[in-house]
Amino acid sequence: MKAKDLAFMALFIVLITVGTFTTIPLPLCPINLQPFFVVLAGLFLGGKRGALSVLGYVLLGLVGIPVFTHGGGIGYVLQPTFGFMLGYIIAAFIIGSVSSSGKNTVLRFTMAGLCGLAAVYGVGLVYYWCISRYYLQSDIGVWTMLVSCCFVPLPKDIVMCIPAAVLAKRLLPIIKSTKVKTKIEENKNA
């Protein structure tokens, strides 16, 4: 892996962390920018590097660095919402894989983001239910869980895929042209 790739991955670890603590207050569900930056990680870095950057973020939190909403530490795996973090890793991989196969359009990028969100919510809801039911021994109903963990936050996450797709559509050609210029300059200096 090149130094430039590692730098971009580190940048997205920082952006996801900042997004975790950047909240826009709304009445029912405050908007947190963490999913926005996870979608961007997949779009900009591709499947493998995007997933590795999100994995890096999760590992930082698990070793005790307070990058999660409620802190960090290995005990966070017993939080019902930790499954959404695992879903983010899978989502970045899916988003990067779907978006890189074909023409770079806002529609393709938006659809890639939506595919990633399906993974986030699929893994997150199953994990939430299992931890609530078997570890916390809570008698949470499926309908209650779906309303609070899916139906309320999902619309804002769907909407966030659109600006992420527009941003990727505009910036990816610039980043790719920078890579080409760098290669040309390297060849001239050799």
Side-chain angles (χ1 to χ4, degrees):
M1 208 172 288
K2 296 178 184 176
K4 187 184 264 188
D5 293 334
L6 292 173
F8 275 118
M9 290 167 58
L11 173 67
F12 274 98
I13 290 171
V14 170
L15 288 173
I16 293 167
T17 302
V18 169
T20 300
F21 298 106
T22 305
T23 304
I24 302 166
L26 291 177
L28 288 177
C29 182
I31 294 177
N32 147 335
L33 295 180
Q34 185 181 39
F36 175 75
F37 289 117
V38 169
V39 171
L40 283 180
L43 292 174
F44 279 99
L45 301 177
K48 192 183 295 183
R49 288 184 300 260
L52 284 173
S53 67
V54 179
L55 176 64
Y57 163 77
V58 171
L59 290 176
L60 282 176
L62 290 177
V63 298
I65 298 171
V67 295
F68 299 148
T69 308
H70 301 291
I74 193 69
Y76 211 86
V77 298
L78 298 175
Q79 298 270 342
T81 57
F82 184 72
F84 290 95
M85 299 290 174
L86 298 176
Y88 285 149
I89 299 167
I90 297 166
F93 181 79
I94 291 171
I95 292 166
S97 300
V98 170
S99 67
S100 64
S101 60
K103 191 175 178 185
N104 291 350
T105 64
V106 172
L107 180 60
R108 173 178 287 289
F109 290 161
T110 303
M111 295 309 293
L114 294 176
C115 290
L117 283 181
V120 170
Y121 280 89
V123 172
L125 289 171
V126 169
Y127 194 94
Y128 191 97
W129 188 82
C130 289
I131 292 292
S132 296
R133 186 84 168 174
Y134 298 113
Y135 175 70
L136 299 175
Q137 297 180 346
S138 169
D139 196 20
I140 187 167
V142 172
W143 181 251
T144 304
M145 181 189 67
L146 284 174
V147 169
S148 64
C149 297
C150 184
F151 298 149
V152 173
L154 182 61
K156 58 111 177 145
D157 288 344
I158 290 172
V159 169
M160 267 198 269
C161 286
I162 297 167
V166 170
L167 190 62
K169 170 73 172 133
R170 291 186 185 257
L171 292 181
L172 275 174
I174 296 168
I175 292 170
K176 287 181 180 178
S177 69
T178 304
K179 288 181 182 178
V180 170
K181 288 179 187 175
T182 305
K183 291 283 186 194
I184 292 171
E185 289 169 6
E186 286 175 5
N187 290 336
K188 284 182 182 178
N189 294 334

